[in-house]
Amino acid sequence: MGTRIITIDGPAGAGKTTVSKLLSQKLGCVYVDTGALYRGVALEIQRQDIDWENDEVLDVFLKDLDLNFVRQKDRLILTSSGKDITKFIRTPEISMLASSSSAKPQIRAALLDIQRNIAKTKDTVFEGRDMGTVVFPDAAVKFFLFADLSVRAKRRFDEMPGETKDISSVQKQMKIRDDNDSQRKSAPLKPAGDAIEIDASFLTVEQVVGKMLGFIEEA
Ligand code: DC
């Protein structure tokens, strides 16, 4: 028998990460945040000052790129050429660059094997944008988690440290990312035909995970 794969796709700020972590704990399996990979690519593009819109330059860059997830205690860290880059990938700048550069089919293709190799050996909850549509079309159960833009922006705003934060700019940036992610040609954000859609606007994390566990049991 193969491994059991659960996918959770949806827009930024819908609560995918928190939900995926709790769901994987309840199921006793691994959890993978695939957005971290696109953020890792963006970080290296930024650090190496890569002209990623130039296909030839991008191909050379991707050939040398060496991103990996490494288990450290109970969490996965992201490494680039063996170095831990986890703490550098969560800035608003990297969010935007990950969103725009992830439209490149070469980047998506380069990350496919990393994702599918993890799935070969372990039951896993995968979180991302195209998990159910492209990367794992045969997943056991597929979820599409969404919430109102204003609710998502408020959540991100509350998570942000510092006093210089501004909710209207958080919401604006989020809308740009929503549009980038769902309007691109290559693997756009959308629910798979057989995905279970959950509106998390007015649900707690526990309620969302409770619903998911119910669907998983029935599957
Ligand atoms: O999940 P996240 O917000 O950390 O993802 C950052 C960006 O990476 C997101 O705006 C689009 C891209 N992404 C993607 O294209 N496909 C995925 N499976 C995950 C993320």
Side-chain angles (χ1 to χ4, degrees):
M1 230 185 79
T3 51
R4 182 169 67 166
I5 303 304
I6 312 278
T7 60
I8 305 182
D9 290 307
K16 296 189 300 294
T17 302
T18 330
V19 162
S20 304
K21 273 187 192 158
L22 184 60
L23 181 66
S24 64
Q25 272 172 22
K26 301 252 183 208
L27 295 172
C29 72
V30 184
Y31 146 70
V32 174
D33 162 18
T34 61
L37 290 172
Y38 290 90
R39 289 171 179 274
V41 172
L43 182 74
E44 286 301 335
I45 286 177
Q46 190 195 51
R47 284 183 167 173
Q48 299 176 38
D49 196 16
I50 300 295
D51 176 12
W52 59 270
E53 283 168 297
N54 177 321
D55 284 341
E56 278 162 33
V57 173
L58 182 61
D59 286 340
V60 173
F61 162 76
L62 289 172
K63 219 180 265 164
D64 286 342
L65 189 71
D66 177 24
L67 292 178
N68 278 294
F69 281 117
V70 179
R71 178 156 295 279
Q72 198 179 67
K73 291 184 191 148
D74 59 344
R75 65 182 202 123
L76 290 180
I77 60 165
L78 182 69
T79 64
S80 174
S81 302
K83 290 206 179 76
D84 183 1
I85 55 167
T86 318
K87 66 169 181 283
F88 305 113
I89 61 173
R90 300 276 157 209
T91 65
E93 217 182 341
I94 293 297
S95 300
M96 287 308 283
L97 186 54
S99 178
S100 48
S101 60
S102 64
K104 279 282 185 189
Q106 296 102 303
I107 294 183
R108 311 203 66 81
L111 299 180
L112 259 188
D113 282 352
I114 305 181
Q115 301 171 68
R116 289 188 178 150
N117 282 339
I118 300 172
K120 276 185 198 154
T121 54
K122 291 187 178 79
D123 289 355
T124 310
V125 175
F126 279 95
E127 171 213 326
R129 301 289 187 288
D130 61 340
M131 296 298 99
T133 49
V134 175
V135 184
F136 301 110
D138 299 327
V141 187
K142 301 176 183 176
F143 294 104
F144 191 85
L145 190 65
F146 64 99
D148 294 344
L149 177 63
S150 58
V151 174
R152 292 187 285 123
K154 170 86 171 58
R155 278 192 200 146
R156 271 295 141 88
F157 177 77
D158 290 343
E159 287 164 8
M160 286 166 79
E163 282 162 18
T164 52
K165 54 191 194 177
D166 158 15
I167 193 159
S168 73
S169 79
V170 173
Q171 181 158 331
K172 243 184 242 158
Q173 299 272 314
M174 204 166 237
K175 174 81 174 63
I176 296 173
R177 279 221 283 153
D178 282 358
D179 292 347
N180 278 345
D181 296 350
S182 53
Q183 288 166 14
R184 68 183 178 219
K185 283 203 185 73
S186 184
L189 169 67
K190 64 171 183 199
D194 52 352
I196 298 156
E197 298 189 36
I198 299 179
D199 181 349
S201 303
F202 306 105
L203 297 176
T204 63
V205 171
E206 285 73 19
Q207 286 172 324
V208 172
V209 172
K211 271 180 185 275
M212 288 180 166
L213 287 169
F215 285 116
I216 292 168
E217 251 166 50
E218 277 171 26

